[in-house]
Structures are given as C-alpha cells and as structure tokens.
Amino acid sequence: MVCFNNGTISSYYGGDLKMLEITDLSFFILKIIIGTIGLIAFGIVFGLIYKGVDRKLSAHMQGRIGPPVRQPFRDIVKLFTKENIVPDNAIPWVYNLAPLIGLIATMTILLYLPIGGFNPLLSNQGDLILILYLLLIPSLAMVIGGFASGSPYATVGAQREMATMIGYEFPLAIVIVTFAWALGNQSLAPTVIQGISGAAEPVVLQNTFSLAVISGIPIWGTVGIIGLIGIIVLLLALLIVTPAELSKIPFDTPEAETEIAGGLLTEYSGRNLGIFYLTDAVKTVVMASIIVALFFPWNLAELLSIEDPIWLVYVLNIIFFLIKVLIVIIFSVTLIRVAIARLKIDQIVYTYWLWITLLALVGLICIMWDQQMIVSQWNFLDGYQPIVSYLGL
Amino acid sequence: MSPEATTKTTYHVPIGPIHPALKEPVFFEFEISGERIIDIDVKLGHVHRAVEWASRKRNPIQILYLAERICGICSYCHPAAFTLAIEAAADIEVAERAEYLRVIQGELERITSHILWAGVAAHEIGFDTVLFLTWEIRERAMDLTEYLCGNRVTKGIMTIGGIRRDITKDMLPRIQKDLKYFKDNFGKLAHIFLDDKTIKMRSQGAGILTKENALKLCAVGPTTRASGIKKDLRADTSYFAYGDLDIDYITPEALTGEVNGDVYDRIIQRLLEVKQSIELIEQCVDKMPAGDIVSEPKIAKVLAQLKKANGEGVGRHEAPRGEVIHYVKLTGEDAPFTWKVRAPTYNNILPWIPMLKGEQIADIPIVAASTDPCMSCTNRVAIVNNGQRSLLNKEQLHRLSVEKTRRLMH
C-alpha cells in the first residue's frame, strides 16, 4: 500500500473540517500554545544539533577533526552572554528589531509544517504560499538589519542578499506551483485518488497548496515514468535553492567572510548575532522539513504497518523524520558547501535565473505532460499508468 | 541637498588594514559603484618593524638571523640575498657543494611557499576544502624542511661562505620519498585547480595584468611571468648552482598555449613552478659534488675578514615571490655601514591597481592574493611626526632618496 495518514485524508476528503468538531475553545487554545512551545523547542534544539553534525561532517570531509557536535550550543550560550554592541551610526530600533523578526518568522513556519508524522499544528490556517512568504522574512530582516547597521560591508551584503533573493525565488515558486498543480489535477482523476486512498467515492481536494494534503499523497505514487524524471529534476532544483536560502557556500556572498568580512552580520554582536545564529539553525530545519514534506512524506510506522502501541508509532515516525531531515541537510548543505568555491553575485543570479529556472521548468513540463497522459483522453501511449500500478501496490 | 550629493552614485569601501581577506596589514580604499571598482588607493606602512635599523649594531653573522625574521615564509631567501651581498662585498669564496645545497633549500622554500599560496587562494574564493588539502601537502614540505634544517620556519641554514648543514647519503631516501609524494600529489592539485568549474569561474578573466603593464610597473616573480614576461633570475644570471642546472623560463604558455595574465594564469604559473622546483631538487641531488659545505667553518675568522673588508655588494635571489635584492656596504666596522632590503612585493604593489580596476568587490581578495603579497617584507618606512602620520609626495621622496644616496656614496 501507499502510505498516507488516514486521519488527514478523511479530514480533507470528508469535507467537514476537524476543527469544527472541537467545541471546547479553551482546549484548542491550550493545544496551540503547548504545540507552539514544543515546536519552537524542537526547532532550536535540532537546528543546533544539525548544525553541529554539519560542522563535524564537513570537517571530516576536509580532513579535519572538527568541533564536537555540541559546539553550536556552546556558541549560543557564549553569544548570549556577550555584550550587545550597537554602532554609532546605526538606527538602533531597526538594528535590534531585525534579528527578532527573522527568528519569529522562521519559527512561525514550523507551525505550518508536518513534523515527525504529525499534522501541521495550524494545518487549516495556512499553506505553502504562506510558507513561501514567511521564508522571505528572515532574509528581508537581515537586509533591513544590514542597511540599518550603517557599515559599508553590511550595505554591500544587503544589496547582495536582495539580488540572491530575486534569483532563487523564481525556481522555488515553480517547484511549489508544480506540486499544487499536480495534486489539483488528481481531483480530475478520481480513480487514481480512489486507488490510493481507498475512499469509496470520488473526492475533491480542498486546498492543493496545503502541506497536509501534499504529504498525505506522496507525489511519487501518482506519476508515470516521465513524471518520475520530472520529480527528480524538481528535487534537484529545490536542493540547489536550499543553500542560497540558507546563505551557505557557494551562495554565501551576502556574508562572504573573505570579501566583505561577514557582510550583513559585520556589525552584529552578542545577543543579536546569537539570534541570527539561531535563525540560521532553525531555518535549516525548516528548509529540510519542507523538502521532506514535499518529496519524502512517508512514515516508518505505516511502512512497517505498526499501529500499536501508539507511543511506538510516534517514536518510530519522529526518528524516521529526523533521519530524513539529516539526509536532506547533508546533501543540500554539507556536500555542496565542501565541494565548490563561492560564486560571485552576478554568477549566482545568472545561475538561478537561467539554469535552475530551466531545470525547474523542465520538471514542471515533465509532470504536466505525465499527468495529461494519465488523466486526459489524449493518451497516445497505450497503458501509460502510474508506476505504482506496475509495482502492484 | 546639493546636486552633486544626489547624483553621486559611488561609495567608499575600506578594505584593511585588518580584514579577513588580508593576511597582513595593508590598507585599500576602494571607490565602488554597485559592485564595480572605480578607483583604488593603496596605503602601506602598517607593519614597519625597523629591521634595517636593528642591524646598525649587529655584525653580518648576526644580521643573517635578523634577515631571516624579515618574513615568515621567505625565511631563506632574505638571508640568501644578504649572504650573496656580503660575499660580493668582501670577496668570500663559497664551497662548491654548498652552492647545490643552497639551491635545494631555495627550491624547497619555493615549493612550501607556492603550496601555501594555493591554499590561501582557495580560501579567498571560499573553497576551504582545497585549503586543507593543499596545506596537508605543504605539511610534508614543512616536515622535509625540518628534517634538512632542524627547524620548520626560521631555518637558520644560511651562513657566509657556505651552508650550515649537509645532506648526507643516508638522508637521500627520505628526500626522494618526499619528492615522490609531491609529484604524486602535484597531479591531484593540478586537477583541482585547473579543471574545477567554480575555480575557473572565479579566476578566469579576473585581475588581468597585461604584458605592457607588467613591464611598465616592473612586476617581478610569478606575477610577471604569468603575464608572459620571461624574467627569472635563476635563468637570467647564474648565482648559486643554477648555472650548472637545466633550468628554463616557465610561463603559462607551457600548459595552455596562451597568456592572459589573469588570476587563472597565476595559478598555473605557480603550479608549474612547483613542478620545476621538484625537478631542480632532483637534479641537485644527482649532480651534487662531494666536499666541504662551508669555505671557512670558523665564524670568528669570517668576522675578522669581514671587519677588514671595504666595499659594497648587491645580492639578488629569485624568491618564491620574485626577485629580492639586498645591498650591503662594508666600511671596516663591526656592523655594515648600510644594509638595504628590497622585497619582491614592493614591485608587485603597483600592478594591483590595473588588476583591480573594473573588477567586482568579490574579486578583491583573490586578485590581491594572486600576487602573493608579503607586507612585512615590504614595509620600510613609516612617517610619524608627533603622533601624526603624513604622506610624502613624489618630489619629497625623490629629494630624500638623493640625499640618502649621497650619504652612502661619500
């Protein structure tokens, strides 16, 4: 069977929202508060652990020993105990506010992500489009903070960050639109949905941009061979967008240490720098979780058909999720950053606007073509079916 | 706001004196428009350590060890040039075997320095993996240096009339083993630097120094050879044992068939020179004659001879960064009457300006590093009056130079 979360599907397919069943408002609010605190703690702790693992692994790849995995925690403690210096020619309130806005926006994204087999905490209030916007905010906060710090290096860094953002947003948007489109198209093919969901009746998807829906129906199960190529191309495009989103080599020009001495962060110190450090750690988890939710939404417990005890299901799913995130981080951050040199800003924009956009468009076209062949009447290849049907799943 | 203020589109970016891109203090002031460099001003004098002044009360043997401390990486070429100058001033003979040993030391220093540079260059373009890889190879060169000299950095190997340590027969296998290691890894380094796409993207077409500019601005060493000028002291003159060795000028043409004078060519140039140095050491090991390693082992005798000497000498040596010149005048005193050092970086500062003009901010570190600058070698003057720094213009400098030359001549 193809794995999906039965509860998720029913809440969307049945048409009646789970949320309406909750009459006890105070219970709902309590759930949100506890969930938010839990997710933030999760994001910070694992963001820092992954940062440590990334540093350790890249050190080994470079023939070094590297710092211990707990080093990022020590860094944070140290940064938060250090003096917070505001330069004379900075605009203090903007300068101090920018890191906070960045961290809050990044943590908000966590509330909209399916993590460790659980549904997103706010699954009905926001979708991928919202996440796209929220992902912009930390970068914008850094730009604003950079301009407000009144250093020529930070100004150059802020200009570069804006140019990089313009570069990678387009391919990122293409990937996300492709997913929504492909799922929206599924509702035209009731057999497919019925086939994989086991629903008795044809159903209409409520919001194809919702991550709960997207991770409920793994895209791999709905496509034929051309679509499979399309998905791999899209995954590649998203993996290359990730280091730019996170300002990692080769796309770390806004912070380029040897060129502009830390760029955006040149003037930041102490607590403010610590907050940017945390933002970076949490954002890494967020980006990897988005890739996991889009491309690898399976849960281990369902793969192994384990249903009780319930704690075992949760533990297995969470561990499996953490491993998936780790693998995504290794491929999109660690491997890329040890393997190539830093690019210049014009080369970055050129790379994204031309090559990565082309790559994403190729993925989009492949999936559109594939879906048309499966769904519509102009199926000129006889027996062109989703791959899963060949596997007898 | 005045019209000028609103129409002004350029801004100033200071790089230095302390900046992650610079390994030693030097101050650049850039006028930038967007990401393009419009104008550059280079200011020096941040690491003036008065080395020449410190020599006023030292005898030539003591100065040898002072010269070694002019620079950490060129810790052989400064004493080498100084020794050549003293030997020329006092007509001191040099043991023949020592000439070969001096070449070995010089070339080993070139290997160490160029591989170090390759790592720094990789770091400047954000490719830290290559930095660690190259420095791992360099570590072997440092170990070999320690094996031959007893020290890793300040080698203390040079002496007037010869060299202080011999290479005996039982040391040869270790040398050959290490040379083989360098040769094996040379292919690996060349593959990374010459074939990697991102290194090419960063270095090709960046920081071009044309042949005309290189000639006009008197660039030296790999910087000038990478622009296609055949200028190499080892082949131009025949000091040490270079006259007996098979050595020819190397330019990037040897590998690519063309000379662009960009950063990529300077990378090729240095890699080819590493290969050349390995071959030169092998030749020396083969051709080295037996005999003494120093013409006069008793230092007191040498000093007595130097005290009687009267004359001046110029020592020139092809250091890893280019030609280093030492001028010494002996007037029958304990200490030399004067000692003047001209490090290769001095000549390679002005070429920065045509290299950097029109490039992007992102090119500054790699282009500045591509001449392999060594500021503490170069800084000779700092003018400070009552705590105020002042600048000298061309006329004042010229007048001061003439005055100093007159003082030396009388």
Side-chain angles (χ1 to χ4, degrees):
Chain A
M1 62 165 275
V2 175
C3 312
F4 58 91
N5 188 323
N6 237 330
T8 326
I9 299 286
S10 66
S11 70
Y12 281 89
Y13 291 76
D16 56 346
L17 295 174
K18 228 179 187 174
M19 220 52 80
L20 295 175
E21 292 162 13
I22 299 166
T23 48
D24 191 354
L25 191 66
S26 62
F27 171 70
F28 173 65
I29 292 171
L30 197 69
K31 182 190 152 197
I32 297 287
I33 290 172
I34 293 175
T36 307
I37 293 170
L39 279 173
I40 287 173
F42 167 85
I44 290 176
V45 170
F46 281 95
L48 292 176
I49 289 177
Y50 283 132
K51 216 178 169 75
V53 172
D54 166 55
R55 282 170 72 172
K56 189 84 186 168
L57 274 178
S58 63
H60 278 294
M61 288 176 197
Q62 294 174 333
R64 294 184 287 129
I65 296 167
V69 175
R70 66 179 185 282
Q71 187 62 38
F73 291 93
R74 289 169 166 177
D75 290 350
I76 283 291
V77 170
K78 183 93 176 198
L79 283 173
F80 274 79
T81 51
K82 286 281 195 181
E83 192 188 356
N84 190 22
I85 298 165
V86 181
D88 280 348
N89 51 352
I91 308 164
W93 69 272
V94 185
Y95 178 83
N96 286 320
L97 195 63
L100 273 176
I101 292 176
L103 184 64
I104 292 167
T106 315
M107 285 174 170
T108 313
I109 307 175
L110 280 173
L111 310 184
Y112 297 98
L113 291 176
I115 281 169
F118 296 102
N119 268 341
L121 192 64
L122 300 174
S123 59
N124 295 312
Q125 279 83 1
D127 52 23
L128 268 176
I129 302 287
L130 179 70
I131 292 175
L132 260 186
Y133 279 107
L134 284 174
L135 269 177
L136 270 178
I137 294 177
S139 308
L140 279 176
M142 282 178 92
V143 169
I144 293 165
F147 277 129
S149 58
S151 148
Y153 299 133
T155 310
V156 173
Q159 288 167 352
R160 288 178 173 189
E161 175 76 42
M162 284 198 292
T164 315
M165 257 156 61
I166 295 166
Y168 68 70
E169 281 304 322
F170 191 35
L172 181 63
I174 293 176
V175 173
I176 283 170
V177 166
T178 311
F179 266 86
W181 186 88
L183 274 180
N185 205 46
Q186 294 298 322
S187 58
L188 297 173
T191 48
V192 176
I193 294 288
Q194 273 179 307
I196 63 161
S197 67
E201 304 216 337
V203 287
V204 177
L205 298 178
Q206 300 268 326
N207 178 3
T208 52
F209 278 105
S210 165
L211 265 176
V213 174
I214 290 173
S215 59
I217 310 169
I219 193 167
W220 306 86
T222 63
V223 293
I225 188 77
I226 301 169
L228 190 73
I229 296 168
I231 297 175
I232 292 169
V233 168
L234 284 181
L235 175 61
L236 209 63
L238 199 52
L239 284 180
I240 301 174
V241 167
T242 307
E245 187 76 68
L246 302 172
S247 273
K248 294 275 159 30
I249 287 175
F251 307 115
D252 72 331
T253 35
E255 287 159 34
E257 171 220 336
T258 50
E259 292 163 18
I260 46 173
L264 294 165
L265 306 175
T266 309
E267 297 296 339
Y268 277 102
S269 57
R271 197 193 71 232
N272 282 340
L273 186 62
I275 295 175
F276 272 133
Y277 191 96
L278 274 182
T279 311
D280 179 47
V282 177
K283 210 176 167 188
T284 310
V285 172
V286 163
M287 275 311 284
S289 301
I290 291 175
I291 295 177
V292 165
L294 289 179
F295 290 96
F296 314 107
W298 306 290
N299 291 320
L300 189 62
E302 282 146 26
L303 280 177
L304 300 175
S305 309
I306 296 171
E307 280 168 22
D308 32 70
I310 194 74
W311 61 266
L312 184 66
V313 174
Y314 289 151
V315 167
L316 280 179
N317 283 348
I318 288 174
I319 291 174
F320 190 54
F321 173 80
L322 291 175
I323 293 171
K324 285 188 290 187
V325 168
L326 177 66
I327 291 170
V328 169
I329 290 176
I330 289 172
F331 275 94
S332 64
V333 176
T334 316
L335 269 183
I336 294 180
R337 96 186 164 99
V338 298
I340 36 185
R342 180 188 303 122
L343 299 180
K344 291 194 267 193
I345 187 67
D346 57 332
Q347 292 167 339
I348 289 178
V349 175
Y350 180 79
T351 308
Y352 277 114
W353 275 12
L354 193 68
W355 297 115
I356 310 303
T357 305
L358 267 183
L359 201 67
L361 281 175
V362 166
L364 172 71
I365 290 166
C366 279
I367 287 178
M368 285 176 86
W369 185 16
D370 174 81
Q371 296 290 305
Q372 288 303 322
M373 286 186 37
I374 291 175
V375 173
S376 71
Q377 299 307 313
W378 44 284
N379 187 348
F380 46 83
L381 274 176
D382 267 346
Y384 187 83
Q385 283 173 315
I387 290 172
V388 279
S389 56
Y390 290 112
L391 301 174
L393 292 168
Chain B
M1 260 181 160
S2 64
E4 287 80 29
T6 48
T7 52
K8 192 168 173 270
T9 55
T10 62
Y11 56 98
H12 284 270
V13 172
I15 301 271
I18 305 298
H19 188 278
L22 307 165
K23 303 304 162 227
E24 282 177 283
V26 54
F27 182 54
F28 293 94
E29 200 166 5
F30 288 97
E31 198 183 335
I32 308 270
S33 167
E35 279 263 335
R36 293 260 160 233
I37 299 165
I38 306 292
D39 206 8
I40 312 141
D41 194 6
V42 185
K43 287 175 185 158
L44 303 168
H46 300 90
V47 272
H48 178 54
R49 294 170 305 152
V51 170
E52 287 169 356
W53 178 85
S55 76
R56 304 307 289 268
K57 289 193 173 120
R58 286 172 159 84
N59 67 41
I61 292 287
Q62 289 169 325
I63 292 177
L64 218 48
Y65 301 97
L66 183 67
E68 207 162 63
R69 280 151 180 84
I70 290 176
C71 173
I73 305 168
C74 312
S75 56
Y76 173 76
C77 60
H78 282 293
F82 177 74
T83 312
L84 284 167
I86 287 282
E87 284 163 2
D91 279 332
I92 291 173
E93 261 184 51
V94 182
E96 202 190 343
R97 186 177 169 84
E99 299 279 36
Y100 285 85
L101 292 169
R102 284 175 174 188
V103 170
I104 292 177
Q105 294 297 342
E107 296 308 318
L108 186 60
E109 183 180 76
R110 198 180 313 280
I111 293 172
T112 319
S113 172
H114 281 355
I115 296 180
L116 175 125
W117 175 83
V120 171
H123 173 67
E124 302 288 12
I125 55 171
F127 206 161
D128 283 352
T129 313
V130 178
L131 162 74
F132 295 118
L133 182 79
T134 47
W135 281 33
E136 198 184 325
I137 298 168
R138 175 176 178 266
E139 201 55 33
R140 280 290 280 264
M142 298 292 278
D143 287 347
L144 185 61
T145 310
E146 188 183 7
Y147 184 64
L148 296 181
C149 309
N151 294 313
R152 287 158 61 85
V153 180
T154 41
K155 296 157 190 128
I157 188 82
M158 204 51 159
T159 192
I160 292 159
I163 205 153
R164 291 181 63 210
R165 276 180 190 233
D166 197 5
I167 293 178
T168 52
K169 270 225 170 59
D170 55 316
M171 291 165 92
L172 290 180
R174 164 81 192 263
I175 295 173
Q176 268 142 6
K177 199 180 96 195
D178 280 358
L179 287 180
K180 190 172 172 301
Y181 173 83
F182 295 140
K183 271 186 179 170
D184 293 346
N185 282 279
F186 175 76
K188 202 156 106 186
L189 270 188
H191 173 63
I192 292 169
F193 276 99
L194 305 182
D195 301 334
D196 186 90
K197 184 98 199 312
T198 44
I199 291 185
K200 273 188 179 174
M201 279 168 85
R202 289 302 304 269
S203 60
Q204 276 179 339
I208 292 176
L209 180 67
T210 57
K211 196 169 179 175
E212 295 72 49
N213 273 333
L215 279 171
K216 198 170 74 187
L217 300 170
C218 302
V220 290
T223 312
T224 192
R225 290 196 284 277
S227 294
I229 297 166
K230 296 192 168 166
K231 186 155 93 178
D232 189 333
L233 208 62
R234 296 172 293 171
D236 289 338
T237 63
S238 63
Y239 68 106
F240 291 171
Y242 287 115
D244 300 338
L245 300 173
D246 178 23
I247 177 169
D248 200 6
Y249 304 97
I250 283 190
T251 55
E253 271 172 311
L255 195 77
T256 56
E258 53 171 0
V259 173
N260 300 315
D262 54 6
V263 173
Y264 188 64
D265 274 0
R266 290 194 274 280
I267 294 174
I268 297 176
Q269 176 66 32
R270 290 205 170 80
L271 285 173
L272 292 176
E273 284 186 19
V274 169
K275 201 175 169 200
Q276 188 188 35
S277 292
I278 298 172
E279 283 159 9
L280 282 172
I281 295 180
E282 282 179 332
Q283 284 185 41
C284 281
V285 170
D286 289 344
K287 292 184 180 170
M288 216 159 39
D292 289 335
I293 55 162
V294 62
S295 58
E296 177 50 70
K298 291 202 177 72
I299 289 171
K301 265 189 177 177
V302 177
L303 279 176
Q305 192 183 350
L306 287 174
K307 206 173 168 185
K308 278 181 276 174
N310 228 322
E312 52 184 358
V314 173
R316 297 161 75 200
H317 171 57
E318 184 73 22
R321 291 166 177 71
E323 182 184 358
V324 51
I325 300 177
H326 282 224
Y327 166 83
V328 176
K329 185 174 181 179
L330 300 172
T331 50
E333 311 255 331
D334 266 347
F337 179 73
T338 191
W339 172 41
K340 170 86 191 132
V341 178
R342 199 227 59 194
T345 307
Y346 183 78
N347 291 40
N348 288 339
I349 285 169
L350 283 178
W352 268 339
I353 291 164
M355 276 183 208
L356 283 167
K357 257 186 196 165
E359 297 293 344
Q360 295 183 23
I361 298 175
D363 293 320
I364 295 170
I366 181 67
V367 171
S370 71
T371 67
D372 203 357
C374 182
M375 297 334 288
S376 59
C377 294
T378 304
N379 283 188
R380 294 282 156 269
V381 179
I383 296 162
V384 181
N385 199 3
N386 295 333
Q388 292 284 309
R389 294 185 68 124
S390 59
L391 288 176
L392 293 178
N393 59 26
K394 195 179 165 190
E395 283 73 39
Q396 290 168 313
L397 267 176
H398 185 246
R399 186 168 46 78
L400 284 171
S401 318
V402 171
E403 277 170 19
K404 180 161 187 191
T405 312
R406 293 231 170 92
R407 225 166 40 238
L408 293 178
M409 296 296 284
H410 74 81

